[in-house]
Amino acid sequence: MTKHTQENKEGKGDVGRLLAGIRLLFNNPITRSYLKASTRRVICRYKENGDREATVIYHALSKLAGEQVYSCPVTARFLGALITSTIKMGVKLLGGNIESASKALEDPAVRRGISLVIESLAKYGVTVPQSLSAPFLIVWNFTNMCNLRCIHCYQRADKPGPDELSLEEKLMVVDQLDKAGVAAVALSGGEPTIHPHFLRIVDELNNRGIYVAVATNGTRFADKEYLMKAKRHGLRYVEVSVDSPRPSEHDKFRGVPGAWNKAIRALENAVDIGISNGMATTITKLNKDQIPEILDLAEEIGVQRVIFFNFVPTGRGEDYAWLDLTPEEREEVLRTLYNEMKNRKIEIISTAPQYARVVLQLSSGREVAPTHFYVGNNRIMKSLAEFIGGCGAGRIYAAIQPNGDVTPCVFLPIKVGNLRETTFNEIWWNSPLLNALRNRDNLKGYCAKCPYRNICGGCRARAYAYYRDPFAPDIGCILNKDAWDKLPKKKIRLVQHH
């Protein structure tokens, strides 16, 4: 293990202890009573940034991170002191390093994420999986405009829609997400980088302390100067889609010649300028046997991580349902990813919620994947696995469509509200579907009784794609093979068409 990797994992371990300590000590009537009082928003003065309105919890975490915070109301100062003392006690009890955890809090986005966890404990108490008062992550389909024609596109992206949000409305959305406490926003599409509002919204999100990421086909960032400009505006993470290590196959999948070369150049540029980066690959029947080649390419470029996305037959992908993997194929892919992860230095991630189960089984219970971003082998990580809880649709993340519609996930196209008509908080707290998705007792089929349901829960988007019911079994899992075998013959033919 390299020094960088070791330091990275140690840092994540201290943040894990911070989260676990918070859950441990804020789960009783006394601490929850002052937590609830600390969720109110007050204005404090920051030496570096002037007046800022945020929750008492956020201001307390800012002080713990070493920020110089002044002019808070008396009650806010008192409650903030209680919160920081409790956090320090929790980290110490779990053997963590409070100095390291405090250093992590210097990042406003980490601070927002921890603040969100504490506010959620005040609102809901400890739940398994954890219900949150706002999502950690919003995937914002910024526009339907796109310069490629990918056959698997969940958005059927092409031209901008007639009802897309204006710049003024987008700024209103940013304000709502800020007030809700959202920690991170990933701009997607369509292709967000070609939209004229892209840099302005990156700026605005960054100024609010929100972590800004982009999911892109890479064509615009093949221009290094433009990527550097986006970084200066506050872009912190670039995820470029690469569907095959073979240029001709990628270009055919993406519908435009030359797309592969630009995607690779974008990744090379991201590595060169030092912005956090990842290669995103949607696994289908076309590339499931190319995983070692894909990882070789990623290592050759020097990217930090490779994210293997589930293919879900929705949007344009519904017309290509035969691309989807059988349960046996998906299980083989996930096992391959785990084995590759053990033998390579690069981070290897899967968005398939079953990956948590596969990691647990292959490691004989020693390791677990509490998020898409880390596999750990200690009791803190195992605790966080149930905290995160696998599929987060409508529970730890949500999606915003170009016209302001809110859905539980970009792959789960069920409208639960519109930001032109209702605030994000009202939608998040009051939507019957979102509240139902937070309760694993609503699952059906084997997913309802699966012993791994609290660390997996099945992909709710896949359930909807096949059954038009987001609580149905996820037939992409080997444990639901019986349900896959009982699919109507029409759907089986679609899947096996290739």
Side-chain angles (χ1 to χ4, degrees):
M1 183 181 294
T2 65
K3 181 181 178 184
H4 170 76
T5 304
Q6 182 64 34
E7 288 174 351
N8 195 26
K9 290 200 173 185
E10 285 173 358
K12 287 175 179 174
D14 282 317
V15 172
R17 286 180 172 83
L18 177 60
L19 283 168
I22 286 167
R23 293 187 80 212
L24 175 69
L25 291 182
F26 283 122
N27 189 33
N28 67 71
I30 296 173
T31 52
R32 280 190 69 196
S33 66
Y34 67 75
L35 270 191
K36 286 180 181 178
S38 302
T39 59
R40 66 189 180 93
R41 298 175 69 87
V42 299
I43 296 175
C44 295
R45 180 159 297 163
Y46 286 61
K47 183 179 180 181
E48 299 297 326
N49 300 308
D51 289 351
R52 178 175 178 82
E53 180 182 339
T55 61
V56 173
I57 294 166
Y58 183 88
H59 293 311
L61 292 173
S62 297
K63 292 192 75 170
L64 186 58
E67 293 249 19
Q68 297 184 48
V69 185
Y70 310 99
S71 303
C72 294
V74 174
T75 53
R77 293 201 299 270
F78 173 71
L79 290 168
L82 283 176
I83 288 169
T84 52
S85 297
T86 307
I87 289 172
K88 288 178 180 178
M89 187 186 306
V91 174
K92 186 176 180 180
L93 280 173
L94 293 170
N97 184 318
I98 190 61
E99 287 76 21
S100 177
S102 298
K103 187 167 182 61
L105 290 171
E106 291 177 7
D107 184 337
V110 173
R111 202 180 307 161
R112 290 178 72 94
I114 301 296
S115 179
L116 174 56
V117 171
I118 299 175
E119 290 170 36
S120 302
L121 293 173
K123 185 175 178 67
Y124 299 109
V126 172
T127 63
V128 179
Q130 186 64 46
S131 294
L132 297 181
S133 58
F136 275 125
L137 171 68
I138 290 289
V139 179
W140 185 351
N141 287 335
F142 201 65
T143 178
N144 209 54
M145 177 193 308
C146 192
N147 51 0
L148 299 186
R149 297 293 178 269
C150 309
I151 65 175
H152 69 314
C153 180
Y154 59 76
Q155 196 69 12
R156 293 186 184 270
D158 184 1
K159 298 175 183 177
D163 60 346
E164 293 191 2
L165 298 173
S166 66
L167 177 58
E168 183 181 0
E169 289 172 322
K170 289 187 178 84
L171 293 172
M172 172 269 293
V173 169
V174 171
D175 189 59
Q176 287 193 26
L177 299 182
D178 178 25
K179 289 177 178 175
V182 171
V185 172
L187 300 175
S188 187
E191 178 50 45
T193 63
I194 63 175
H195 195 281
H197 297 162
F198 173 67
L199 292 179
R200 175 66 192 280
I201 296 303
V202 169
D203 243 336
E204 195 66 28
L205 289 165
N206 179 61
N207 289 339
R208 307 294 184 105
I210 297 172
Y211 188 94
V212 190
V214 66
T216 174
N217 58 38
T219 53
R220 193 70 177 87
F221 288 156
D223 177 354
K224 186 188 286 189
E225 290 299 318
Y226 186 70
L227 178 55
M228 291 173 69
K229 185 176 182 180
K231 183 182 178 184
R232 289 194 296 271
H233 278 259
L235 184 65
R236 297 183 58 182
Y237 176 70
V238 176
E239 190 170 281
V240 181
S241 296
V242 176
D243 298 302
S244 173
R246 304 163 191 171
S248 61
E249 293 185 18
H250 173 94
D251 290 356
K252 184 177 180 181
F253 199 73
R254 294 271 154 180
V256 175
W260 188 90
N261 286 328
K262 289 184 177 180
I264 300 305
R265 198 175 311 133
L267 283 169
E268 291 171 342
N269 289 341
V271 171
D272 190 50
I273 70 172
I275 191 170
S276 184
N277 57 80
M279 177 191 289
T281 299
T282 300
I283 287 291
T284 67
K285 287 186 184 295
L286 300 178
N287 62 6
K288 66 181 177 63
D289 298 322
Q290 298 176 5
I291 290 173
E293 292 177 67
I294 291 167
L295 294 172
D296 288 344
L297 174 63
E299 288 183 329
E300 181 183 333
I301 297 169
V303 300
Q304 294 169 320
R305 63 190 60 82
V306 182
I307 308 94
F308 290 94
F309 277 82
N310 251 341
F311 169 75
V312 179
T314 188
R316 198 178 290 139
E318 197 170 2
D319 302 330
Y320 294 87
W322 57 266
L323 289 170
D324 203 5
L325 305 182
T326 66
E328 294 91 342
E329 288 170 334
R330 181 166 287 99
E331 189 76 1
E332 182 180 352
V333 162
L334 295 179
R335 286 171 173 264
T336 297
L337 295 183
Y338 176 78
N339 290 326
E340 291 283 357
M341 181 202 69
K342 302 298 288 185
N343 296 311
R344 296 183 187 251
K345 294 177 182 177
I346 196 169
E347 289 183 47
I348 300 172
I349 299 154
S350 171
T351 66
Q354 294 85 11
Y355 190 54
R357 169 188 53 81
V358 169
V359 169
L360 200 63
Q361 290 175 327
L362 292 184
S363 67
S364 300
R366 292 187 302 273
E367 295 179 320
V368 70
T371 72
H372 297 328
F373 301 101
Y374 182 44
V375 173
N377 61 355
N378 58 50
R379 63 191 177 92
I380 304 300
M381 290 301 112
K382 289 177 181 177
S383 169
L384 291 179
E386 289 198 343
F387 170 77
I388 299 297
C391 179
R395 194 176 52 79
I396 62 174
Y397 66 86
I400 298 173
Q401 298 302 321
N403 66 350
D405 284 347
V406 177
T407 65
C409 167
V410 293
F411 298 104
L412 185 49
I414 305 176
K415 175 182 172 181
V416 295
N418 183 280
L419 297 177
R420 285 181 168 129
E421 304 161 1
T422 316
T423 68
F424 183 82
N425 269 342
E426 290 175 306
I427 295 170
W428 183 259
W429 292 341
N430 300 324
S431 162
L433 176 60
L434 297 185
N435 279 294
L437 285 168
R438 294 163 196 161
N439 184 354
R440 293 277 159 86
D441 289 340
N442 291 321
L443 298 182
K444 300 174 183 177
Y446 188 76
C447 284
K449 58 185 178 182
C450 178
Y452 302 100
R453 73 174 195 162
N454 286 334
I455 62 170
C456 171
C459 175
R460 298 299 97 217
R462 181 179 302 285
Y464 183 76
Y466 281 98
Y467 292 102
R468 290 299 182 261
D469 178 358
F471 302 100
D474 174 1
I475 57 171
C477 176
I478 195 70
L479 301 182
N480 275 321
K481 185 179 182 304
D482 287 349
W484 173 270
D485 291 339
K486 292 175 184 175
L487 273 177
K489 296 298 182 184
K490 180 182 177 182
K491 288 186 177 177
I492 291 176
R493 283 198 299 272
L494 277 171
V495 172
Q496 294 179 342
H497 172 72
H498 182 60

